[in-house]
Amino acid sequence: MATHVPDDFKCPISLEIMSDPVILPSGHTFDRASIQRWLDAGHLTCPITKLPLPEHPCLIPNHALRSLISNYTLVAPLKSQPWPQPQTLISALTSPSTPLETKLNSLTQLARLTKHDSALRRKLTEWGAAPAVLRCVDSDDSNLLEKALSLLLNLSLDDDNKVGLVAEGAVNRVVKVLRLGSPDCRAIAATIITSLAVVEVNKATIGAYPDAIQALVWLLISGKGREKKEAATALYAICSFADNRRRAIDCGAVPILIGLLDSGLERAIEVLGLLVKCKEGREEMMKVNGCVKVLVQVLRNGSSRGIPYGLFTLNCLCNCCERLCFEAMNEGVLEVCMGLMVEENEKIRRYTSSLVQTLRDNHAIG
């Protein structure tokens, strides 16, 4: 008999054990990935109570429940059926005669095994899992593709695997999925780019790959909520490498990011905060009508994470253009800055002080 898993440990949406439980304003807990998909699909109600939610509901980590689940899975693993050895599962992926259903099952089990086990992730690559999984990513079957991407993402979480996966051709496959995959697959593909880009050398390799940055920018235009967010996160990860900033700018990222920021995607300001560091980025931002207005709105309504990027970006622009200083003043930036001066966040106070000094130096403040 299988060990009974408490119902409270299961996500009400996926019915699987939660790996990252978060609390909705309704008071109910869900796995972050499941509830994010629900919200990204445009639902503005709690899946359980059906009561309305705020437009951008805060997802509060349920640390206590996460700890309970972690301890439970350590002492009471599921015992419904003994799983095959990982080598056997990998062999099932590489054999041309393996039925599709068996491959799907192998990918599912390998993804579960590797989700929280870094040692196993390294072992799987030693046993040849990478080329086997990448062949599955080439599949025309959407279910096989999505499960293969999930396993590829897990393998990429280990730093020792990141360079090897790129060398095996992961970027080629992932970029293709960014263009042609389903919405869920495209979101996972963008997340894989973010994971691989943690290693510095991979940032340059990914950025230099034909169409990689262009595909992410395209996803910002054509994707839905979760896809746009993951694409912006991936761009942020690879644009910490200076050469990639110019590539993103050449692909037309700046006006798209400003438009997304104006529509409420705060992750866009983080990317703009990198692109503004180069001359080409500043020049492109100056060309966008309403750019200053959008940035001031970030200072007025943004989160503690987004506001510093907004302050930095606006300060860089005002430093090189007196006209933008007066435009910012007309948008009420000084009043906003006075409020930010008393923030507890030291970084926000420091960046606010720098922006006020820039306005003063450019005679926007009398």
Side-chain angles (χ1 to χ4, degrees):
M1 296 292 291
T3 302
H4 176 68
V5 178
D7 288 339
D8 288 343
F9 290 3
K10 299 177 182 178
C11 174
I13 296 176
S14 68
L15 302 181
E16 295 185 355
I17 297 177
M18 291 182 278
S19 60
D20 188 7
V22 293
I23 306 171
L24 270 188
S26 65
H28 290 277
T29 297
F30 303 85
D31 200 31
R32 184 183 294 275
S34 296
I35 194 60
Q36 192 63 60
R37 280 195 293 270
W38 170 268
L39 297 172
D40 289 345
H43 299 292
L44 293 177
T45 58
C46 171
I48 293 177
T49 66
K50 307 302 180 186
L51 294 174
L53 296 170
E55 187 174 354
H56 300 291
C58 181
L59 303 180
I60 304 172
N62 192 331
H63 296 297
L65 181 57
R66 184 172 186 169
S67 178
L68 287 171
I69 293 172
S70 178
N71 291 335
Y72 177 87
T73 54
L74 284 174
V75 301
L78 296 178
K79 301 176 182 178
S80 55
Q81 290 292 336
W83 283 351
Q85 289 296 311
Q87 297 97 318
T88 305
L89 297 173
I90 294 171
S91 297
L93 299 178
T94 58
S95 173
S97 61
T98 302
L100 175 61
E101 195 61 37
T102 302
K103 287 187 176 183
L104 289 169
N105 184 55
S106 295
L107 287 168
T108 298
Q109 294 192 41
L110 285 169
R112 288 176 177 171
L113 287 169
T114 56
K115 191 169 186 178
H116 302 293
D117 192 335
S118 59
L120 181 58
R121 291 195 285 263
R122 288 191 292 273
K123 277 293 183 184
L124 286 184
T125 56
E126 294 173 10
W127 295 331
V133 174
L134 290 173
R135 278 195 289 273
C136 292
V137 173
D138 287 331
S139 172
D140 293 329
D141 184 272
S142 59
N143 289 330
L144 193 69
L145 171 59
E146 185 170 349
K147 289 183 180 297
L149 286 170
S150 295
L151 177 53
L152 182 60
L153 175 60
N154 287 357
L155 294 177
S156 75
L157 296 176
D158 192 83
D159 287 352
D160 290 341
N161 289 342
K162 296 181 192 294
V163 175
L165 287 172
V166 170
E168 290 277 2
V171 178
N172 178 24
R173 271 71 166 216
V174 169
V175 170
K176 182 179 177 181
V177 174
L178 288 173
R179 290 285 195 182
L180 304 174
S182 67
D184 282 344
C185 287
R186 291 195 301 231
I188 298 171
T191 308
I192 291 171
I193 293 288
T194 302
S195 178
L196 293 174
V198 168
V199 176
E200 200 66 27
V201 67
N202 281 352
K203 299 180 196 291
T205 304
I206 295 168
Y209 191 87
D211 295 332
I213 290 178
Q214 181 68 64
L216 289 170
V217 173
W218 176 83
L219 197 56
L220 290 177
I221 302 170
S222 63
K224 297 181 180 178
R226 182 184 172 213
E227 298 163 79
K228 291 178 187 289
K229 183 177 179 181
E230 296 299 343
T233 303
L235 278 173
Y236 178 79
I238 61 179
C239 284
S240 62
F241 181 69
D243 287 352
N244 289 339
R245 296 170 197 163
R246 285 182 282 274
R247 292 179 177 125
I249 293 162
D250 290 342
C251 289
V254 168
I256 295 167
L257 288 164
I258 293 173
L260 289 173
L261 184 58
D262 193 29
S263 300
L265 183 66
E266 192 179 47
R267 189 64 54 87
I269 190 59
E270 299 174 22
V271 188
L272 290 169
L274 292 176
L275 301 186
V276 78
K277 293 182 178 181
C278 63
K279 178 184 176 184
E280 297 89 343
R282 294 189 292 274
E283 290 173 349
E284 286 299 308
M285 291 179 204
M286 290 179 200
K287 294 177 186 176
V288 179
N289 289 330
C291 175
V292 169
K293 180 179 180 179
V294 172
L295 292 175
V296 174
Q297 280 298 109
V298 172
L299 308 191
R300 187 175 281 117
N301 302 320
S303 69
S304 58
R305 179 180 174 88
I307 288 173
Y309 287 99
L311 287 165
F312 178 80
T313 303
L314 188 57
N315 191 25
C316 288
L317 293 176
C318 289
N319 250 320
C320 59
C321 181
E322 187 175 297
R323 172 182 62 83
L324 295 184
C325 290
F326 288 96
E327 192 174 326
M329 289 296 292
N330 289 336
E331 293 295 338
V333 71
L334 187 57
E335 292 81 359
V336 177
C337 285
M338 292 304 101
L340 294 176
M341 285 289 198
V342 297
E343 275 280 335
E344 292 183 3
N345 187 312
E346 189 274 335
K347 189 175 185 179
I348 289 179
R349 293 201 309 273
R350 187 172 73 251
Y351 279 19
T352 301
S353 179
S354 295
L355 176 56
V356 171
Q357 185 62 50
T358 296
L359 296 171
R360 183 174 289 113
D361 292 344
N362 282 281
H363 310 293
I365 300 176

